[in-house]
């Protein structure tokens, strides 16, 4: 997981949608409906999303031209309005929009910042299902901020998290609005197209091009969609209980990467024993064919059913990669199957991924980056940093956009889970985890939802206990460890992570 500083892109990057395009002759008047809200009001990214509708499905059709390296695309969204709308907006940035249809009828459109505003000839009634079709061209190499595109010598991959899916396709770009997802990718000879979900069709178009269609069995949040084109080989193997595993590997590096890819079945088996059956139809790795330092500023990203990695990371020995591979795998449960209701709830994703990733590391006998070999030792060290992190990065569940991916959301989240497990005991803690995952599967959940489940399953109100750990400005006492102390805050201490060239880098303790 990673974060890039968010700024408004210059108008020159917005393509032909930078100005009003009169695709329909008239706008609905204010007396016949309201434009409706243009955001979902997220506390971290208040400009993202739209609360005037919900998306039930995305159907993308992308064609990659290896000569121009451009992508011609059509995105079809099925939406349901929450109230009467005279206008609606999609998140969109850097897309050269050529046409917008609403239920097959041309609609007026304009670009305003990172919004594509669409005005139908007549208002949409409340609780109406409608189809929005946007035809556009995208350049994976465009200098956008943010951007989800990862250009490669033979194509591209995407890394949409947290706020960049709308540079790939117009969408309601917020994890609370999960939707079904299908994608058709047309590529020239010698390349393959792959997307999240499972392969449902391969079509030879007879002109040297092939179209691959993928469909998700479960809904996907926009921030974890994967679409990739490249000179790949597909490595298939079987996981626990017959789970199909597929890795999408650069052909020239397939043999060298095989030792890392072969680790996945045992990783899945280990986590299934603790969190239950794997929640999706398939899993695998995508070592993107780009190791450049500026390709993407993180090690792995949990795009659904196909985790994105830099290949060089996976060329290391198992003890150097196994813990972080577990971290990314855990995101299939916490982050993908159960998505954050808002970006303030990110600790649920990263805290859980690091918690189980560290448990796996220590169980295997691998020392961590500090040379520690037990969860207790690492948590004692993290506990000592607690007040400083709360000062520099805010409370665990109260991030800002600038510190969203600080260590506080990772190790700070682990410390909260460790404290809860000590408070209620390992058996009850395991029941809390399984109940939470089952109750909110294929949906989004908030910190309050987790606290409510913890209270219900433990039989005691945990709101005060967890509230102090998640929102307090001072680190609470650790249950069972009255001897643990917190280092006094020092203004000389820096943030709990490193910054290079303006980008945030991995803060996971599993690295």
């Amino acid at each position: 997981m990673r974060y890039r500083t968010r700024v408004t892109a210059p108008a020159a990057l917005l393509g032909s949608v930078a100005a009003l395009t009169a695709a329909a002759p008239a706008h609905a008047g204010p007396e016949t409906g309201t434009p409706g809200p243009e955001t979902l009001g997220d506390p971290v990214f208040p400009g993202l999303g739209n609360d005037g509708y919900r998306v039930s499905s995305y159907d993308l059709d992308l064609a990659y031209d290896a000569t121009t390296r451009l992508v011609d695309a059509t995105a079809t969204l099925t939406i349901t309005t929450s109230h009467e709308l005279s206008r609606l907006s999609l998140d969109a940035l850097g897309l050269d929009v050529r046409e917008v249809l609403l239920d097959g009828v041309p609609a007026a459109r304009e670009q305003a910042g990172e919004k594509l505003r669409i005005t139908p000839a007549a208002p949409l009634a409340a609780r109406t299902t409608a189809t929005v079709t946007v035809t556009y061209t995208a350049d994976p190499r465009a200098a956008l901020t943010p951007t989800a595109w990862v250009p490669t010598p033979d194509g591209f991959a995407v890394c949409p998290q947290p706020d960049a899916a709308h540079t790939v396709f117009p969408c309601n770009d917020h994890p609370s609005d999960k939707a079904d997802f299908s994608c058709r990718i047309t590529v020239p000879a010698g390349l393959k197209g792959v997307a999240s979900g499972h392969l449902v069709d391969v079509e030879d178009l007879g002109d040297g091009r092939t179209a691959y269609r993928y469909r998700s069995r479960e809904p996907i949040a926009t921030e974890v969609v994967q679409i990739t084109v490249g000179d790949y080989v597909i490595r298939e193997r079987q996981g626990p209980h017959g789970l199909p595993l597929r890795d999408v590997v650069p052909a020239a590096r397939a043999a060298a990467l095989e030792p890392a890819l072969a680790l996945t079945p045992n990783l899945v088996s280990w986590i299934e024993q603790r969190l239950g059956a794997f929640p999706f139809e398939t899993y695998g790795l995508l070592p993107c064919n780009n190791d450049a330092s500026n390709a993407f500023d993180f090690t792995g990203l949990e795009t659904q059913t196909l985790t994105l990695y830099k290949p060089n990371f996976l060329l290391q020995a198992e003890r150097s990669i196994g813990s972080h591979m577990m971290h990314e795998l855990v995101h299939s449960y916490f982050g993908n199957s159960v998505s954050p209701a808002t970006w303030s709830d990110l600790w649920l994703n990263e805290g859980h991924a690091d918690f189980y990733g560290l448990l796996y590391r220590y169980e295997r006998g691998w020392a961590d980056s500090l040379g520690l070999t037990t969860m207790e030792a690492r948590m004692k060290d993290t506990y000592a940093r607690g007040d400083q992190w709360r000062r520099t990065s805010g409370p665990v569940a109260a991030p800002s956009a600038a510190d969203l991916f600080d260590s506080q959301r990772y190790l700070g989240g682990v410390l909260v889970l460790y404290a809860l497990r000590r408070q209620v005991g390992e058996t009850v803690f395991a029941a809390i985890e399984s109940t939470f995952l089952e109750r909110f599967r294929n949906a989004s959940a908030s910190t309050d939802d987790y606290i409510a489940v913890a209270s219900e399953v433990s039989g005691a109100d945990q709101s005060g206990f967890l509230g102090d750990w998640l929102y307090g400005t001072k680190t609470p006492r650790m249950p069972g460890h009255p001897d643990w102390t917190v280092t006094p805050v020092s203004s000389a201490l820096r943030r709990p992570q490193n910054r290079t060239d303006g980008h945030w880098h991995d803060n996971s303790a599993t690295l």
Side-chain angles (χ1 to χ4, degrees):
M1 182 173 273
R2 67 91 174 86
Y3 171 70
R4 296 178 188 270
T5 306
R6 181 180 176 83
V7 300
T8 301
L13 298 177
L14 300 179
S16 64
V17 294
L20 178 64
T21 303
H27 291 213
E31 72 280 3
T32 58
T34 64
E38 280 207 331
T39 79
L40 279 161
D42 187 90
V44 177
F45 296 118
L48 284 182
N50 186 302
D51 201 32
Y53 60 87
R54 288 295 182 268
V55 182
S56 59
S57 68
Y58 293 94
D59 189 354
L60 307 183
D61 192 339
L62 288 75
Y64 177 69
D65 187 319
T67 301
T68 65
R69 302 184 68 179
L70 298 178
V71 176
D72 287 325
T74 299
T76 302
L77 290 67
T78 302
I79 67 170
T80 300
T81 60
S82 54
H83 48 78
E84 185 180 32
L85 296 176
S86 63
R87 188 183 71 200
L88 61 94
S89 68
L90 304 175
D91 295 309
L93 175 64
L95 307 179
D96 187 358
V97 176
R98 298 192 299 276
E99 184 179 51
V100 175
L101 303 178
L102 189 58
D103 287 333
V105 177
R109 66 186 188 271
E110 66 173 329
Q111 182 76 32
E114 296 183 34
K115 299 292 183 180
L116 172 60
R117 290 174 175 163
I118 302 168
T119 303
L124 297 175
R127 295 174 294 281
T128 294
T129 298
T131 299
V132 181
T133 303
V134 182
T135 304
Y136 62 97
T137 298
D139 183 355
R141 298 163 299 164
L144 299 172
T145 304
T147 185
W149 296 101
V150 181
T152 64
D154 49 2
F156 63 85
V158 299
C159 50
Q161 191 184 78
D163 62 340
H166 61 285
T167 65
V168 178
F169 58 99
C171 56
N172 200 22
D173 201 358
H174 195 272
S176 65
D177 193 12
K178 301 170 72 166
D180 293 337
F181 176 82
S182 64
C183 186
R184 182 177 186 262
I185 312 169
T186 300
V187 295
L191 300 181
K192 286 187 172 63
V194 186
S196 295
H198 61 282
L199 181 66
V200 295
D201 184 57
V202 178
E203 182 183 1
D204 183 347
L205 300 181
D207 58 0
R209 298 184 305 155
T210 303
Y212 299 85
R213 178 173 284 280
Y214 287 81
R215 181 176 295 120
S216 64
R217 187 188 66 189
E218 315 290 354
I220 304 182
T222 54
E223 49 112 2
V224 288
V225 165
Q226 182 55 254
I227 307 167
T228 185
V229 168
D231 180 12
Y232 294 125
V233 293
I234 310 299
R235 294 286 190 240
E236 296 181 343
R237 67 194 85 220
Q238 192 172 87
H241 317 298
L243 174 69
L245 301 176
R246 58 93 195 255
D247 299 307
V248 180
V249 194
R253 309 181 75 171
L257 288 164
E258 178 57 26
L261 306 178
L263 299 175
T264 299
N266 285 336
L267 291 166
V268 174
S269 180
W270 189 91
I271 199 61
E272 283 193 334
Q273 294 172 28
R274 290 153 180 83
L275 297 180
F278 187 75
F280 301 118
E281 63 266 46
T282 184
Y283 183 69
L285 309 187
L286 168 62
C288 177
N289 193 18
N290 194 333
D291 280 305
S293 60
N294 62 351
F296 46 97
D297 52 355
F298 56 95
T299 298
L301 180 67
E302 64 275 14
T303 44
Q304 192 158 309
T305 71
L306 193 60
T307 294
L308 179 68
Y309 279 103
K310 286 188 175 178
N312 280 347
F313 173 76
L314 295 174
L315 294 177
Q316 302 176 87
E318 180 184 2
R319 65 184 301 112
S320 299
I321 63 176
S323 181
H324 195 67
M325 289 178 70
M326 180 59 71
H327 171 110
E328 299 298 346
L329 175 60
V330 170
H331 278 312
S332 294
Y333 297 82
F334 292 97
N336 293 7
S337 179
V338 181
S339 299
T342 73
W343 283 108
S344 292
D345 304 308
L346 179 73
W347 78 274
L348 286 167
N349 300 13
E350 300 304 339
H352 277 100
D354 256 17
F355 181 83
Y356 290 101
L358 285 174
L359 286 179
Y360 183 73
R361 173 187 290 277
Y362 300 136
E363 184 179 296
R364 298 296 301 273
W366 301 329
D368 61 28
S369 60
L370 302 180
L372 304 174
T373 57
T374 67
M375 179 68 89
E376 183 171 328
R378 187 60 188 256
M379 289 299 95
K380 184 177 181 180
D381 178 87
T382 304
Y383 185 83
R385 304 168 191 259
D387 282 2
Q388 183 66 44
W389 286 7
R390 287 169 190 268
R391 175 175 174 175
T392 57
S393 300
V396 175
S400 68
D403 56 40
L404 180 60
F405 290 98
D406 282 9
S407 296
Q408 181 73 305
R409 258 46 78 187
Y410 292 73
L411 269 173
V414 177
L415 191 66
V416 173
L417 297 173
Y418 179 83
L420 178 61
R421 190 174 67 165
R422 293 200 63 84
Q423 175 81 350
V424 302
E426 291 192 17
T427 300
V428 173
F429 178 77
I432 291 170
E433 298 283 88
S434 61
T435 301
F436 179 76
L437 289 172
E438 179 60 30
R439 184 165 299 172
F440 295 100
R441 180 173 181 172
N442 296 329
S444 299
S446 68
T447 298
D448 285 346
D449 290 326
Y450 187 80
I451 293 173
V453 170
S455 299
E456 173 189 329
V457 174
S458 67
D461 184 0
Q462 302 294 342
S463 59
F465 177 82
L466 285 173
D468 289 344
W469 276 97
L470 291 164
Y471 298 106
T473 58
K474 294 291 184 180
T475 305
R477 291 294 185 94
M478 177 61 70
H481 285 296
D483 56 315
W484 285 13
T485 58
V486 179
T487 302
V489 171
S490 169
S491 58
L493 292 178
R494 300 180 64 189
R495 307 177 79 89
Q497 77 293 303
N498 297 318
R499 197 175 205 182
T500 305
D501 297 331
H503 297 308
W504 298 113
H505 289 258
D506 294 289
N507 302 307
S508 171
T510 59
L511 288 166

